[in-house]
């Protein structure tokens, strides 16, 4: 509720109705209603822009805006990929990695340039997918994208993202650092008033983009993201568990951190095999009292999983 109250006044500051008292109240009610409707997702920044544009497009009809928002986000039934608006944004991470792979297939020169600049796709495209282009494209163009999204599904987001990159590839290839590249991408999207041209490139200028290929990329990247998130949670739980029973010195804490990271890289989904050796090395180095605490922490992690 608090975050909604903070974000509503920041939403589309140049839109008179959204910034009006009735508009702010209406947007707040839709977001609050959705957070109660789907407490697993609750509220995530980015949803405020989507809900606001829905209200504008649907003639300020709160119930209609709520149900379209729900149809986009609701768990496995939603149009968007799962966990797009989860607390860790894991679904968004999956989509960014999948888009990166598609750029490698469709725009190999640009993909190589991004790699050379160490510019991650999430820097360029996170807002595109979280806000469904409504903070990046002019409103009329974004609504055209939404028409296709609601009719054909999330493949449209990939097609439009690829189209924006392809149409502006010459300018993007000139950028010699991530900041300049991001500026070029943002300016190009903001100036894309020719929605007919954008959709023509998206649907006729990119070649085949079967949903099955996107699904394969998603499945692979979902496993990678799940593993990374589990490793991150494991390290956090480890540190918390050890802190409860034993106060480590700075040197010991650094060793724990490095060993836990080794476990996350070496371990498989069944963490009882190779990862166990790192726990034994920790026990040898830090002593039996610490080892007992670490074993208790490991058990806590198993229970949490």
């Amino acid at each position: 509720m608090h975050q909604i109250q903070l974000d509503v006044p920041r939403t589309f500051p140049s839109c008179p109705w959204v910034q009006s008292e009735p508009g702010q109240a209406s947007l707040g009610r839709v977001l609050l209603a959705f957070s109660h409707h789907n407490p697993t997702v609750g509220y995530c920044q980015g949803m405020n822009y989507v809900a606001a544009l829905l209200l504008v497009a649907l003639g300020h009809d709160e119930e209609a805006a709520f149900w379209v928002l729900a149809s986009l986000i609701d768990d496995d039934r939603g149009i968007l990929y799962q966990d797009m608006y989860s607390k860790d944004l894991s679904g968004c991470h999956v989509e960014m990695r999948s888009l990166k792979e598609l750029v490698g297939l469709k725009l190999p020169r640009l993909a190589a340039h991004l790699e050379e600049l160490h510019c991650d796709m999430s820097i360029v495209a996170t807002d595109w997918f979280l806000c469904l282009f409504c903070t990046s494209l002019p409103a009329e163009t974004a609504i055209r994208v939404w028409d296709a999204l609601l009719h054909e599904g999330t493949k449209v987001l990939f097609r439009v993202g690829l189209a924006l990159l392809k149409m502006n590839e010459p300018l993007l290839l000139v950028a010699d650092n991530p900041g300049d590249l991001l500026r070029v991408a943002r300016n190009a999207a903001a100036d894309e008033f020719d929605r007919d041209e954008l959709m023509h490139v998206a649907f006729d200028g990119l070649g085949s983009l079967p949903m099955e290929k996107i699904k394969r990329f998603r499945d692979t990247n979902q496993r990678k993201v799940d593993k990374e998130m589990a490793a991150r949670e494991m390290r956090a739980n480890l540190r918390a568990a050890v802190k409860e029973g034993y106060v480590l010195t700075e040197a010991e804490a650094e060793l724990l951190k490095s060993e836990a990271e080794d476990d996350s890289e070496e371990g498989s989904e069944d963490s009882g095999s190779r990862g166990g050796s790192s726990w034994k090395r920790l026990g040898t180095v830090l002593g039996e009292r610490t080892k007992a605490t670490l074993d208790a922490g490991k058990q806590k992690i198993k229970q949490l999983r």
Side-chain angles (χ1 to χ4, degrees):
M1 177 66 177
H2 177 64
Q3 192 60 53
I4 292 175
Q5 291 174 333
L6 289 176
D7 287 345
V8 164
R10 306 168 182 166
T11 307
F12 292 130
S14 61
C15 178
W17 181 80
V18 174
Q19 287 301 304
S20 69
E21 186 174 341
Q24 302 245 311
S26 184
L27 176 57
R29 285 192 292 268
V30 171
L31 293 172
L32 186 61
F34 180 81
S35 70
H36 284 286
H37 163 74
N38 191 333
T40 302
V41 175
Y43 169 73
C44 172
Q45 289 178 312
M47 289 167 54
N48 52 315
Y49 290 100
V50 176
L53 190 55
L54 283 172
L55 283 166
V56 171
L58 296 170
H60 312 162
D61 186 330
E62 294 177 24
E63 185 175 356
F66 165 81
W67 284 115
V68 176
L69 187 67
S71 72
L72 286 166
I73 300 173
D74 262 358
D75 304 327
D76 295 335
R77 302 184 303 276
I79 294 172
L80 301 179
Y81 187 64
Q82 62 192 22
D83 296 328
M84 276 289 292
Y85 296 96
S86 65
K87 290 182 180 179
D88 57 12
L89 297 179
S90 59
C92 190
H93 289 302
V94 172
E95 296 293 71
M96 291 300 98
R97 296 182 187 207
S98 301
L99 178 60
K100 178 181 178 179
E101 294 191 65
L102 289 171
V103 171
L105 287 176
K106 300 293 184 179
L107 304 168
R109 288 183 62 208
L110 181 58
H113 186 58
L114 290 169
E115 194 71 27
E116 183 181 353
L117 295 181
H118 304 287
C119 183
D120 191 78
M121 185 55 63
S122 61
I123 296 174
V124 178
T126 294
D127 283 353
W128 293 354
F129 277 62
L130 274 182
C131 299
L132 308 183
F133 291 98
C134 73
T135 59
S136 307
L137 296 170
E140 296 85 352
T141 308
I143 289 295
R144 180 72 173 274
V145 172
W146 285 18
D147 283 343
L149 169 66
L150 293 171
H151 182 65
E152 300 192 27
T154 51
K155 179 164 64 173
V156 170
L157 298 179
F158 291 101
R159 282 196 171 276
V160 172
L162 289 168
L164 280 171
L165 295 172
K166 180 174 182 176
M167 292 165 68
N168 298 283
E169 186 175 18
L171 292 174
L172 294 169
L173 289 173
V174 173
D176 60 2
N177 63 75
D180 282 348
L181 189 142
L182 178 59
R183 177 181 55 79
V184 170
R186 283 181 172 173
N187 291 342
D191 291 337
E192 192 52 67
F193 291 96
D194 191 343
R195 50 191 181 275
D196 290 335
E197 181 190 14
L198 175 64
M199 301 308 282
H200 172 72
V201 175
F203 285 92
D204 298 321
L206 296 170
S208 175
L209 190 63
M211 196 62 206
E212 187 58 37
K213 179 173 290 185
I214 294 174
K215 186 179 184 300
R216 286 199 303 271
F217 286 152
R218 280 174 167 172
D219 290 344
T220 300
N221 290 318
Q222 183 70 63
R223 289 192 292 271
K224 292 178 181 177
V225 169
D226 286 345
K227 183 177 179 180
E228 291 172 10
M229 293 295 181
R232 184 183 302 173
E233 183 179 3
M234 180 180 181
R235 290 195 293 272
N237 289 332
L238 266 175
R239 288 189 289 269
V242 172
K243 186 177 180 181
E244 286 178 8
Y246 183 82
V247 179
L248 298 176
T249 66
E250 184 176 349
E252 291 170 339
E254 186 61 34
L255 179 59
L256 175 60
K257 178 182 176 183
S258 63
E259 291 290 343
E261 289 173 347
D262 288 344
D263 276 347
S264 72
E265 293 173 0
E266 294 177 1
S268 60
E269 292 181 4
D270 179 7
S271 59
S273 55
R274 290 184 293 177
S277 62
S278 294
W279 290 87
K280 291 177 182 177
R281 292 199 300 273
L282 268 175
T284 302
V285 174
L286 301 181
E288 287 304 314
R289 181 183 173 190
T290 306
K291 181 180 183 301
T293 306
L294 291 172
D295 287 341
K298 189 176 181 181
Q299 188 60 39
K300 285 186 179 183
I301 292 165
K302 287 182 177 180
Q303 292 170 358
L304 285 170
R305 287 182 171 177

